[in-house]
Amino acid sequence: MHNLGVLLSGRGSNFLAIADALSSGTIPDTQIAVVISNLADAPGLTAARNRGLNATAIEARGRKRAEHDAEIITTLQAHKVDLVCLAGYMRLLSPGFIQAFPQRILNIHPSLLPAFLGLDAQTQAFEYGVQIAGCTVHFVDEQLDHGPIILQRAIPVLPTDDAHTLAARILEQEHIAYSEAIARVLSGNYEVLGRRYVPKTGDD
Ligand code: GRF
């Protein structure tokens, strides 16, 4: 059985999509061992508790990043987490966190990386005038929205779109992409060559 740890700061729709994929068997032999938020009032934390999952707030306020991260690492390890999924977790990870889970931390970003890093990526893409938008699931390294790409999903920007409708349609793609990327990584059926995710024969 694989154990996932989910870190979130907000509404948690990606977390819920992952939880649904686990319930429906899309990601085999896997469970969410713990959901952690840096914000006690994150709706995603409430949603996790409503599903009967271990869900805990580890607040960052007034603490050094490394110290806060160390408590999160301890909690993840206590739940025997082997893959950490950032799902709208709005804090940068310290190098110690990344080293504690080498190539075992995933993030989802609502743009086709390397375009439009950071906050409000969907609005950045819309205002830039791109005609293809999308989302990226990637391994986390020490730079923002930067590690090797596991999977991307693209959609056209429609003439009728505004930043809000575009973000909503990207979010639909995120909900598909994250579970697929988790299944890919847990299968172990790949290697990372430089920055390139390369499936081994038999995988797509
Ligand atoms: C998503 O757009 C994700 O790509 C970004 O933060 C947002 C989180 O949304 N990293 P939710 O909390 O999963 O609904």
Side-chain angles (χ1 to χ4, degrees):
M1 183 64 85
H2 299 291
N3 284 328
L4 303 183
V6 177
L7 269 57
L8 55 78
S9 304
R11 67 190 161 183
S13 74
N14 276 288
F15 147 65
L16 287 168
I18 295 166
D20 287 345
L22 293 171
S23 305
S24 69
T26 312
I27 311 172
D29 301 326
T30 305
Q31 62 186 4
I32 294 175
V34 64
V35 177
I36 300 171
S37 178
N38 59 315
L39 299 174
D41 60 356
L45 210 49
T46 309
R49 291 196 179 110
N50 289 342
R51 291 200 173 207
L53 295 168
N54 294 315
T56 184
I58 300 179
E59 300 233 47
R61 191 164 309 175
R63 303 174 73 184
K64 293 206 167 87
R65 185 180 306 280
E67 181 194 322
H68 177 244
D69 280 1
E71 188 178 344
I72 295 177
I73 293 167
T74 302
T75 305
L76 292 168
Q77 289 171 341
H79 287 89
K80 303 199 179 324
V81 163
D82 33 34
L83 191 64
V84 180
C85 300
L86 308 186
Y89 185 65
M90 303 303 283
R91 282 177 64 79
L92 288 174
L93 304 189
S94 55
F97 196 149
I98 291 155
Q99 284 151 21
F101 293 92
Q103 292 224 334
R104 290 271 125 188
I105 309 174
L106 310 189
N107 182 44
I108 187 156
H109 184 71
S111 78
L112 296 173
L113 290 174
F116 310 121
L117 310 182
L119 293 176
D120 295 324
Q122 308 96 323
T123 303
Q124 292 184 54
F126 180 77
E127 289 180 351
Y128 194 90
V130 300
Q131 297 185 6
I132 303 287
C135 63
T136 304
V137 185
H138 63 94
F139 291 109
V140 172
D141 68 9
E142 288 170 20
Q143 295 179 51
L144 178 69
D145 300 329
H146 178 266
I149 291 168
I150 301 158
L151 190 151
Q152 295 185 301
R153 289 181 69 93
I155 53 168
V157 179
L158 305 175
T160 50
D161 267 330
D162 56 26
H164 182 76
T165 59
L166 180 62
R169 286 191 301 109
I170 292 172
L171 191 62
E172 289 173 8
Q173 299 304 314
E174 294 183 41
H175 294 164
I176 300 166
Y178 215 156
S179 301
E180 207 177 314
I182 291 167
R184 282 187 181 188
V185 171
L186 291 179
S187 78
N189 206 16
Y190 67 94
E191 46 194 343
V192 178
L193 302 176
R195 289 191 47 88
R196 292 189 313 116
Y197 167 95
V198 181
K200 290 185 181 157
T201 316
D203 197 355
D204 64 346

